Short mmCIF file of all heavy atoms in Angstrom, two decimals:
data_model
loop_
_atom_site.label_atom_id
_atom_site.label_comp_id
_atom_site.label_asym_id
_atom_site.label_seq_id
_atom_site.Cartn_x
_atom_site.Cartn_y
_atom_site.Cartn_z
N TYR A 14 -3.33 12.94 -4.51
CA TYR A 14 -3.35 12.69 -3.07
C TYR A 14 -4.17 11.46 -2.72
O TYR A 14 -4.49 11.25 -1.56
CB TYR A 14 -3.92 13.91 -2.34
CG TYR A 14 -3.05 15.12 -2.50
CD1 TYR A 14 -3.46 16.19 -3.28
CD2 TYR A 14 -1.82 15.19 -1.89
CE1 TYR A 14 -2.66 17.30 -3.44
CE2 TYR A 14 -1.00 16.29 -2.04
CZ TYR A 14 -1.44 17.35 -2.82
OH TYR A 14 -0.62 18.44 -2.98
N TYR A 15 -4.53 10.67 -3.69
CA TYR A 15 -5.32 9.46 -3.48
C TYR A 15 -4.70 8.32 -4.29
O TYR A 15 -4.05 8.53 -5.30
CB TYR A 15 -6.77 9.67 -3.91
CG TYR A 15 -6.92 10.03 -5.36
CD1 TYR A 15 -7.09 9.05 -6.33
CD2 TYR A 15 -6.85 11.35 -5.78
CE1 TYR A 15 -7.19 9.38 -7.68
CE2 TYR A 15 -6.96 11.69 -7.12
CZ TYR A 15 -7.14 10.69 -8.06
OH TYR A 15 -7.23 11.01 -9.38
N VAL A 16 -4.91 7.10 -3.82
CA VAL A 16 -4.40 5.91 -4.50
C VAL A 16 -5.46 5.40 -5.45
O VAL A 16 -6.62 5.25 -5.08
CB VAL A 16 -4.03 4.82 -3.48
CG1 VAL A 16 -3.62 3.54 -4.18
CG2 VAL A 16 -2.92 5.31 -2.57
N SER A 17 -5.07 5.12 -6.68
CA SER A 17 -5.99 4.57 -7.66
C SER A 17 -5.73 3.08 -7.84
O SER A 17 -4.69 2.55 -7.40
CB SER A 17 -5.84 5.29 -9.00
OG SER A 17 -4.58 4.98 -9.56
N CYS A 18 -6.64 2.41 -8.47
CA CYS A 18 -6.45 0.98 -8.77
C CYS A 18 -5.25 0.77 -9.67
O CYS A 18 -4.53 -0.22 -9.55
CB CYS A 18 -7.71 0.41 -9.42
SG CYS A 18 -9.14 0.36 -8.33
N GLU A 19 -4.99 1.71 -10.55
CA GLU A 19 -3.83 1.61 -11.44
C GLU A 19 -2.53 1.68 -10.64
O GLU A 19 -1.56 0.99 -10.97
CB GLU A 19 -3.87 2.73 -12.49
CG GLU A 19 -2.74 2.66 -13.49
CD GLU A 19 -2.73 1.36 -14.29
OE1 GLU A 19 -3.81 0.83 -14.58
OE2 GLU A 19 -1.63 0.87 -14.59
N ASP A 20 -2.49 2.48 -9.59
CA ASP A 20 -1.30 2.53 -8.73
C ASP A 20 -1.05 1.17 -8.09
O ASP A 20 0.08 0.70 -8.05
CB ASP A 20 -1.49 3.58 -7.63
CG ASP A 20 -1.59 4.99 -8.17
OD1 ASP A 20 -0.91 5.30 -9.16
OD2 ASP A 20 -2.35 5.79 -7.59
N ILE A 21 -2.10 0.55 -7.62
CA ILE A 21 -1.96 -0.77 -6.98
C ILE A 21 -1.51 -1.80 -8.00
O ILE A 21 -0.61 -2.60 -7.73
CB ILE A 21 -3.28 -1.18 -6.31
CG1 ILE A 21 -3.57 -0.23 -5.16
CG2 ILE A 21 -3.23 -2.62 -5.84
CD1 ILE A 21 -4.93 -0.39 -4.55
N ARG A 22 -2.10 -1.78 -9.19
CA ARG A 22 -1.69 -2.73 -10.23
C ARG A 22 -0.22 -2.55 -10.61
O ARG A 22 0.49 -3.52 -10.85
CB ARG A 22 -2.56 -2.56 -11.48
CG ARG A 22 -3.80 -3.40 -11.49
CD ARG A 22 -4.46 -3.38 -12.85
NE ARG A 22 -4.89 -2.06 -13.26
CZ ARG A 22 -6.02 -1.48 -12.85
NH1 ARG A 22 -6.82 -2.11 -12.04
NH2 ARG A 22 -6.35 -0.28 -13.27
N SER A 23 0.23 -1.31 -10.68
CA SER A 23 1.60 -1.07 -11.15
C SER A 23 2.66 -1.50 -10.14
O SER A 23 3.77 -1.86 -10.53
CB SER A 23 1.78 0.40 -11.52
OG SER A 23 1.70 1.18 -10.36
N VAL A 24 2.36 -1.47 -8.85
CA VAL A 24 3.36 -1.86 -7.86
C VAL A 24 3.16 -3.29 -7.35
O VAL A 24 3.98 -3.79 -6.59
CB VAL A 24 3.38 -0.89 -6.66
CG1 VAL A 24 3.73 0.52 -7.10
CG2 VAL A 24 2.10 -0.93 -5.88
N ALA A 25 2.11 -3.96 -7.79
CA ALA A 25 1.79 -5.29 -7.25
C ALA A 25 2.91 -6.30 -7.51
O ALA A 25 3.32 -7.01 -6.59
CB ALA A 25 0.48 -5.79 -7.84
N ILE A 26 3.41 -6.38 -8.72
CA ILE A 26 4.41 -7.41 -9.04
C ILE A 26 5.72 -7.18 -8.28
O ILE A 26 6.21 -8.09 -7.61
CB ILE A 26 4.64 -7.51 -10.56
CG1 ILE A 26 3.38 -8.06 -11.21
CG2 ILE A 26 5.83 -8.40 -10.88
CD1 ILE A 26 3.42 -8.10 -12.71
N PRO A 27 6.30 -5.98 -8.32
CA PRO A 27 7.56 -5.81 -7.59
C PRO A 27 7.41 -5.98 -6.07
O PRO A 27 8.33 -6.42 -5.41
CB PRO A 27 8.01 -4.39 -7.92
CG PRO A 27 7.12 -3.88 -8.95
CD PRO A 27 5.96 -4.81 -9.10
N VAL A 28 6.25 -5.65 -5.54
CA VAL A 28 6.06 -5.71 -4.10
C VAL A 28 5.73 -7.12 -3.63
O VAL A 28 6.19 -7.56 -2.57
CB VAL A 28 4.95 -4.72 -3.67
CG1 VAL A 28 4.55 -4.93 -2.23
CG2 VAL A 28 5.41 -3.28 -3.89
N LEU A 29 4.94 -7.86 -4.39
CA LEU A 29 4.41 -9.13 -3.91
C LEU A 29 5.13 -10.39 -4.42
O LEU A 29 4.96 -11.45 -3.84
CB LEU A 29 2.93 -9.24 -4.27
CG LEU A 29 2.02 -8.21 -3.63
CD1 LEU A 29 0.60 -8.36 -4.15
CD2 LEU A 29 2.05 -8.34 -2.12
N ARG A 30 5.91 -10.29 -5.49
CA ARG A 30 6.45 -11.52 -6.08
C ARG A 30 7.36 -12.28 -5.13
O ARG A 30 7.42 -13.50 -5.16
CB ARG A 30 7.14 -11.24 -7.39
CG ARG A 30 8.44 -10.53 -7.26
CD ARG A 30 9.13 -10.43 -8.60
NE ARG A 30 10.00 -9.26 -8.54
CZ ARG A 30 10.23 -8.49 -9.55
NH1 ARG A 30 9.68 -8.73 -10.70
NH2 ARG A 30 11.01 -7.45 -9.42
N HIS A 31 8.08 -11.60 -4.26
CA HIS A 31 8.98 -12.31 -3.34
C HIS A 31 8.23 -12.90 -2.15
O HIS A 31 8.80 -13.65 -1.37
CB HIS A 31 10.09 -11.37 -2.86
CG HIS A 31 9.62 -10.32 -1.93
ND1 HIS A 31 8.97 -9.19 -2.37
CD2 HIS A 31 9.69 -10.23 -0.59
CE1 HIS A 31 8.67 -8.44 -1.32
NE2 HIS A 31 9.09 -9.04 -0.23
N ARG A 32 6.97 -12.58 -2.00
CA ARG A 32 6.18 -13.10 -0.88
C ARG A 32 5.43 -14.38 -1.22
O ARG A 32 4.85 -15.00 -0.35
CB ARG A 32 5.21 -12.05 -0.38
CG ARG A 32 5.92 -10.84 0.20
CD ARG A 32 4.94 -9.91 0.86
NE ARG A 32 5.62 -8.82 1.49
CZ ARG A 32 6.00 -8.81 2.78
NH1 ARG A 32 5.76 -9.84 3.53
NH2 ARG A 32 6.60 -7.77 3.28
N ILE A 33 5.42 -14.76 -2.48
CA ILE A 33 4.70 -15.96 -2.91
C ILE A 33 5.70 -17.08 -3.15
O ILE A 33 6.67 -16.91 -3.91
CB ILE A 33 3.87 -15.68 -4.17
CG1 ILE A 33 2.79 -14.67 -3.85
CG2 ILE A 33 3.29 -16.97 -4.73
CD1 ILE A 33 1.94 -14.29 -5.01
N ILE A 34 5.47 -18.20 -2.50
CA ILE A 34 6.33 -19.37 -2.67
C ILE A 34 5.49 -20.45 -3.34
O ILE A 34 4.45 -20.86 -2.82
CB ILE A 34 6.86 -19.86 -1.31
CG1 ILE A 34 7.68 -18.75 -0.66
CG2 ILE A 34 7.69 -21.13 -1.50
CD1 ILE A 34 8.09 -19.05 0.76
N THR A 35 5.93 -20.88 -4.51
CA THR A 35 5.18 -21.90 -5.24
C THR A 35 5.55 -23.28 -4.74
O THR A 35 6.67 -23.51 -4.27
CB THR A 35 5.47 -21.80 -6.75
OG1 THR A 35 6.88 -21.89 -6.94
CG2 THR A 35 4.96 -20.50 -7.32
N ASN A 36 4.61 -24.21 -4.83
CA ASN A 36 4.89 -25.58 -4.42
C ASN A 36 5.54 -26.34 -5.59
O ASN A 36 5.74 -25.80 -6.68
CB ASN A 36 3.63 -26.28 -3.92
CG ASN A 36 2.56 -26.40 -4.99
OD1 ASN A 36 2.82 -26.21 -6.17
ND2 ASN A 36 1.35 -26.73 -4.58
N PHE A 37 5.86 -27.60 -5.35
CA PHE A 37 6.57 -28.39 -6.36
C PHE A 37 5.77 -28.52 -7.65
O PHE A 37 6.32 -28.44 -8.75
CB PHE A 37 6.89 -29.79 -5.80
CG PHE A 37 7.56 -30.67 -6.80
CD1 PHE A 37 8.89 -30.51 -7.10
CD2 PHE A 37 6.84 -31.65 -7.46
CE1 PHE A 37 9.50 -31.32 -8.05
CE2 PHE A 37 7.45 -32.47 -8.41
CZ PHE A 37 8.79 -32.29 -8.69
N ASN A 38 4.46 -28.72 -7.52
CA ASN A 38 3.62 -28.89 -8.72
C ASN A 38 3.64 -27.63 -9.58
O ASN A 38 3.73 -27.71 -10.81
CB ASN A 38 2.19 -29.22 -8.33
CG ASN A 38 2.07 -30.60 -7.72
OD1 ASN A 38 2.90 -31.46 -7.98
ND2 ASN A 38 1.04 -30.80 -6.91
N ALA A 39 3.56 -26.47 -8.94
CA ALA A 39 3.59 -25.21 -9.69
C ALA A 39 4.94 -25.03 -10.37
O ALA A 39 5.02 -24.61 -11.52
CB ALA A 39 3.29 -24.04 -8.77
N GLU A 40 6.01 -25.34 -9.66
CA GLU A 40 7.35 -25.22 -10.26
C GLU A 40 7.51 -26.17 -11.44
O GLU A 40 8.10 -25.82 -12.45
CB GLU A 40 8.42 -25.49 -9.21
CG GLU A 40 8.55 -24.37 -8.20
CD GLU A 40 9.65 -24.63 -7.20
OE1 GLU A 40 10.58 -25.41 -7.51
OE2 GLU A 40 9.58 -24.05 -6.12
N ALA A 41 6.97 -27.39 -11.31
CA ALA A 41 7.06 -28.37 -12.39
C ALA A 41 6.30 -27.90 -13.63
O ALA A 41 6.71 -28.19 -14.76
CB ALA A 41 6.54 -29.72 -11.92
N GLU A 42 5.21 -27.16 -13.42
CA GLU A 42 4.42 -26.65 -14.54
C GLU A 42 4.94 -25.31 -15.05
O GLU A 42 4.40 -24.75 -15.99
CB GLU A 42 2.96 -26.51 -14.12
CG GLU A 42 2.29 -27.83 -13.84
CD GLU A 42 0.87 -27.67 -13.35
OE1 GLU A 42 0.34 -26.54 -13.44
OE2 GLU A 42 0.31 -28.66 -12.88
N GLY A 43 5.99 -24.79 -14.43
CA GLY A 43 6.58 -23.53 -14.88
C GLY A 43 5.84 -22.29 -14.42
O GLY A 43 6.00 -21.22 -14.99
N VAL A 44 5.02 -22.42 -13.38
CA VAL A 44 4.29 -21.27 -12.85
C VAL A 44 5.23 -20.47 -11.96
O VAL A 44 5.81 -21.00 -11.02
CB VAL A 44 3.04 -21.72 -12.05
CG1 VAL A 44 2.35 -20.52 -11.44
CG2 VAL A 44 2.11 -22.50 -12.94
N LYS A 45 5.39 -19.21 -12.27
CA LYS A 45 6.27 -18.32 -11.51
C LYS A 45 5.43 -17.42 -10.61
O LYS A 45 4.27 -17.13 -10.92
CB LYS A 45 7.08 -17.44 -12.46
CG LYS A 45 7.90 -18.21 -13.46
CD LYS A 45 9.14 -18.73 -12.81
CE LYS A 45 10.00 -19.42 -13.85
NZ LYS A 45 10.86 -20.38 -13.24
N PRO A 46 6.00 -16.93 -9.52
CA PRO A 46 5.27 -16.00 -8.66
C PRO A 46 4.78 -14.76 -9.41
O PRO A 46 3.70 -14.24 -9.13
CB PRO A 46 6.28 -15.63 -7.58
CG PRO A 46 7.21 -16.78 -7.52
CD PRO A 46 7.29 -17.31 -8.93
N GLU A 47 5.57 -14.28 -10.39
CA GLU A 47 5.15 -13.12 -11.18
C GLU A 47 3.85 -13.40 -11.91
O GLU A 47 3.00 -12.52 -12.03
CB GLU A 47 6.24 -12.72 -12.18
CG GLU A 47 7.49 -12.17 -11.56
CD GLU A 47 8.49 -13.26 -11.19
OE1 GLU A 47 8.26 -14.44 -11.53
OE2 GLU A 47 9.49 -12.93 -10.55
#
Side-chain angles (χ1 to χ4, degrees):
Y14 296 109
Y15 60 91
V16 175
S17 68
C18 293
E19 183 60 35
D20 295 324
I21 294 171
R22 270 191 298 279
S23 67
V24 300
I26 292 175
V28 170
L29 297 175
R30 72 174 154 215
H31 71 282
R32 295 188 176 267
I33 295 178
I34 299 172
T35 55
N36 62 14
F37 177 77
N38 291 336
E40 288 182 23
E42 293 177 12
V44 176
K45 303 281 184 204
E47 292 88 6

